[in-house]
Amino acid sequence: MLKSLIDLVFPPLCHNCRQFIPDAGRIHVCPECIASSKPLQSPICPCCGIPFATDEGIDHLCGSCIEKHPPFDAARGAFVYEGAVRDLIHRLKYDRKIQCRRPLALLLLELLSGAVEEFSPEMLVPVPLHKRRLRERGFNQAILIAELLAREWKIPLERRLLQRVRWTEPQINLAAGERAANVKGAFALSDPKIASGRRIVLIDDVLTTGSTVAECSRVLKKAGAAAVLVVTVARVP
Ligand SMILES: [Zn+2]
Ligand SMILES: [Zn+2]
């Protein structure tokens, strides 16, 4: 009775398509929108998390991780960067719909809480934005998502530990080969002692080629981090 009254006054609408959802649950994304985004499933590379083209077979290292182990211990994305998940990330970042962080964080929690728990993390560290980008956008989407994850996982969030000390061109405008060079030396730690000996989950919204999170992980490992697990809502396949 109370629920139907609340639904009447504040009808639960899908964060993505705005249609009414009778059984909204916590996430508030309709079944059609959820179905438009593919969860990242095995077989994947257990190191960098890249999904393989075939749907069959077991997880195995990809060629690039065999050739050179990335600076992080593992990377996991919840979804392929497509459909409603991509639209929700766009609404959050470019339309400044802050409320979209909630369904994104909840979807990530559903799919990746097991992997994070297994890792036994001691702190969450969001990928930082440069001051100039932060001024333009007004917020860092990785922090907004990480705040909700930290609350659910009960892990401390280190908002200012990792800093972007050099302006870099948006990775999206660069060829894959140029991206590592673009972010080299772009990050520093406010206090390296905080990372020393700790198991760290590095949080970002989207992983594209992994150059940014690789460089962040390199800086954390250089300060003595015991292990780094990269966790993102989505991943460009
Ligand atoms: Zn929808
Ligand atoms: Zn790999």
Side-chain angles (χ1 to χ4, degrees):
M1 169 69 184
L2 181 64
K3 185 183 174 294
S4 43
L5 206 64
I6 291 171
D7 283 359
L8 203 66
V9 185
F10 303 106
L13 302 180
C14 172
H15 276 291
N16 194 47
C17 69
R18 310 306 296 162
Q19 80 162 303
F20 172 74
I21 325 169
D23 260 318
R26 284 176 84 198
I27 296 178
H28 283 215
V29 177
C30 74
E32 289 80 13
C33 285
I34 299 247
S36 71
S37 297
K38 190 169 170 262
L40 270 165
Q41 283 166 328
S42 288
I44 60 168
C45 168
C47 178
C48 70
I50 197 165
F52 295 107
T54 157
D55 275 345
E56 278 162 42
I58 53 165
D59 294 354
H60 55 278
L61 285 175
C62 72
S64 136
C65 289
I66 290 173
E67 201 176 298
K68 187 168 178 272
H69 198 290
F72 46 78
D73 295 81
R76 291 289 178 275
F79 286 89
V80 178
Y81 189 53
E82 63 180 17
V85 164
R86 188 192 53 210
D87 296 344
L88 283 165
I89 290 173
H90 275 233
R91 292 164 79 93
L92 170 62
K93 275 159 84 167
Y94 307 119
D95 303 338
R96 298 187 170 82
K97 301 279 185 226
I98 305 286
Q99 65 273 25
C100 290
R101 71 172 171 158
R102 197 175 146 77
L104 290 168
L106 291 172
L107 287 166
L108 188 159
L109 281 165
E110 273 197 3
L111 289 164
L112 297 181
S113 285
V116 169
E117 206 171 298
E118 214 170 284
F119 177 74
S120 311
E122 294 168 291
M123 68 175 77
L124 298 187
V125 172
V127 169
L129 295 181
H130 189 267
K131 276 202 294 266
R132 196 167 118 197
R133 170 82 62 230
L134 196 58
R135 264 199 305 271
E136 283 167 12
R137 190 171 293 159
F139 57 86
N140 176 353
Q141 70 283 355
I143 295 183
L144 291 183
I145 293 168
E147 280 173 348
L148 302 182
L149 302 177
R151 213 177 293 163
E152 291 278 337
W153 290 331
K154 300 186 172 61
I155 306 169
L157 173 64
E158 288 289 345
R159 285 183 179 75
R160 276 172 285 273
L161 172 64
L162 187 60
Q163 308 199 335
R164 203 181 277 250
V165 291
R166 182 168 65 73
W167 174 259
T168 55
E169 283 308 311
Q171 296 282 74
I172 201 108
N173 301 337
L174 300 172
E178 297 169 328
R179 292 180 177 196
N182 182 47
V183 290
K184 184 120 186 76
F187 300 94
L189 298 182
S190 59
D191 183 357
K193 285 196 298 296
I194 295 176
S196 178
R198 311 305 290 275
R199 300 181 64 80
I200 296 172
V201 175
L202 185 63
I203 306 281
D204 209 357
D205 53 341
V206 187
L207 188 149
T208 309
T209 59
S211 302
T212 301
V213 292
E215 182 63 11
C216 290
S217 304
R218 197 183 63 77
V219 170
L220 291 165
K221 283 286 179 88
K222 201 170 155 224
V228 177
L229 170 67
V230 176
V231 165
T232 61
V233 178
R235 151 161 217 147
V236 176

